[in-house]
Amino acid sequence: MNKLPRIALTLGDPAGIGPELVARLLADPASSRQAEIVLVGDETELAGAMADAGVEFGWSRDHGDGRPTLVDNGGERPAGGFVRQEATEAGGRWAMASLRRALELSQQDAVDAIVFAPLNKSSLHLAGMTENDEMSWFETVLDDGTRATELNVLPDLITARVTSHCSIAEVADLITEDLVVERGLLLQQVLRARGLEDPRIGVCALNPHAGEGGRFGRHEIEIIEPAVAELARRGVAATGPYPSDTIFLRARDGAFDGVLTMYHDQGQIAVKLLGFDRGVTLAGGLSVGVCTPAHGTAFDLVGTRSANLGAYQHAFELAVAIGAARDPAVFHVT
């Protein structure tokens, strides 16, 4: 009998819907049958999560009894508790403490993959995160030479980004041929890890009408087209660049297994339209698989018990699959 994968769960920003989502997931006994679950937080947070969700489930401080194991995150809880439905420094510090502890557990081979509930970037930056996003922060904490890139996962499509959390004014200068190739190779490897031997990748243009032959910009001619040619030379079934206002129509109809986008919203708008309640964000390129639902903290839904569990459930299931493979090398560029 194969050993179950060990999955670390953090409850995300305490001001948002994350604690409720985690509690609802763990209230279903089927979750504990899929993995050995390590909860990173504290007893107060866990009790609050169950109260938010209106559920109860058993947990333990000891590994191996079949129940989720609670591991303290080492964070500092404010005396008056956390402010709800608002970005705060205290909430950001708590969320970062839990994530740091989960990453430490992965480096100690104590967990095989990580799922974090939604974060709020304003809270993280108030708490002192200097990186633009949690993906870059993961690189800093792990400090093992791996580079993170954000991938968005739907059941029949994965997207990757050449640039991510930066201003639109910066995007054009950040796109290079080497970076397009690197992200294309990573997307191919993740798709292969999902069982696709020769995945088809569509590459987005940056400019309207794919640059209109240079009239609307030369990134396609000078950077993206040579990168697509280099990917093909390396055995990647990549084509493009295609105008971004039509490429996802083709993807929806099955033309591509993955799409490589040039910037954040170019892919995120399409992914959320195609499957908001199923979308998962995967940190590719790290030494451990890290997953989260593709939506945010939804402050307006806190306390209503109306948040959709679908994307968080899919994030957990993807982490279980990654953990069961026990081969983080599939997420690295080689």
Side-chain angles (χ1 to χ4, degrees):
M1 180 177 178
N2 292 331
K3 184 178 179 181
L4 290 175
R6 299 158 299 176
I7 309 299
L9 305 184
T10 75
L11 284 73
D13 192 304
I17 60 170
E20 175 191 336
L21 296 177
V22 175
R24 287 168 57 191
L25 177 86
L26 296 181
D28 183 353
S31 300
S32 293
R33 291 196 291 267
Q34 295 180 58
E36 294 181 16
I37 295 170
V38 178
L39 280 165
V40 182
D42 72 359
E43 293 186 28
T44 301
E45 183 179 31
L46 192 52
M50 288 190 273
D52 283 351
V55 301
E56 292 187 4
F57 55 86
W59 56 273
S60 173
R61 289 283 187 180
D62 301 315
H63 294 276
D65 70 355
R67 295 180 296 171
T69 302
L70 180 63
V71 174
D72 284 335
N73 68 356
E76 182 178 348
R77 174 175 290 278
F82 294 104
V83 176
R84 306 301 300 275
Q85 299 177 285
E86 184 180 322
T88 65
E89 177 183 347
R93 288 189 183 281
W94 185 263
M96 289 169 69
S98 293
L99 283 171
R100 186 183 296 275
R101 185 73 182 105
L103 292 168
E104 289 171 352
L105 290 170
S106 76
Q107 291 181 302
Q108 297 161 6
D109 294 325
V111 299
D112 301 305
I114 297 167
V115 185
F116 63 93
L119 304 173
N120 184 283
K121 287 182 176 55
S122 293
S123 296
L124 299 177
H125 291 136
L126 286 171
M129 181 184 284
T130 57
E131 295 83 0
N132 282 350
D133 55 36
E134 63 273 20
M135 299 295 161
S136 299
W137 184 78
F138 293 155
E139 296 175 358
T140 301
V141 175
L142 289 169
D143 192 26
D144 59 4
T146 56
R147 292 182 62 192
T149 187
E150 190 165 324
L151 300 109
N152 289 107
V153 182
L154 292 172
D156 299 314
L157 182 70
I158 295 180
T159 67
R161 306 173 190 163
V162 176
T163 69
S164 188
H165 294 108
C166 61
S167 73
I168 289 294
E170 296 175 282
V171 167
D173 290 338
L174 290 173
I175 295 171
T176 66
E177 181 179 338
D178 287 346
L179 193 55
V180 174
V181 170
E182 176 187 302
R183 300 297 163 82
L185 289 169
L186 178 61
L187 180 55
Q188 181 200 52
Q189 288 175 235
V190 173
L191 288 163
R192 282 180 169 174
R194 299 193 90 193
L196 297 169
E197 184 176 342
D198 193 25
R200 301 157 301 161
I201 295 174
V203 179
C204 284
L206 172 65
N207 296 299
H209 303 182
E212 195 75 62
R215 184 178 181 86
F216 301 149
R218 297 190 58 81
H219 273 73
E220 288 73 22
I221 294 170
E222 297 176 359
I223 296 174
I224 303 174
E225 287 177 9
V228 171
E230 176 61 18
L231 285 167
R233 190 188 71 78
R234 297 196 192 191
V236 181
T239 54
Y242 299 106
S244 60
D245 59 354
T246 57
I247 188 171
F248 281 97
L249 295 173
R250 300 181 64 183
R252 179 197 62 186
D253 295 337
F256 308 114
D257 304 301
V259 174
L260 181 61
T261 66
M262 294 298 117
Y263 59 92
H264 182 281
D265 284 6
Q266 191 177 51
Q268 282 291 79
I269 291 170
V271 165
K272 291 185 177 183
L273 283 171
L274 290 171
F276 183 82
D277 60 350
R278 297 173 296 153
V280 174
T281 297
L282 167 67
L286 297 176
S287 52
V288 60
V290 184
C291 303
T292 190
H295 59 71
T297 45
F299 288 158
D300 58 316
L301 299 183
V302 171
T304 67
R305 297 183 183 173
S306 61
N308 191 308
L309 184 62
Y312 185 78
Q313 178 82 46
H314 281 92
F316 174 73
E317 292 169 355
L318 179 58
V320 169
I322 292 168
R326 292 186 174 86
D327 183 12
V330 298
F331 302 109
H332 297 167
V333 175
T334 56

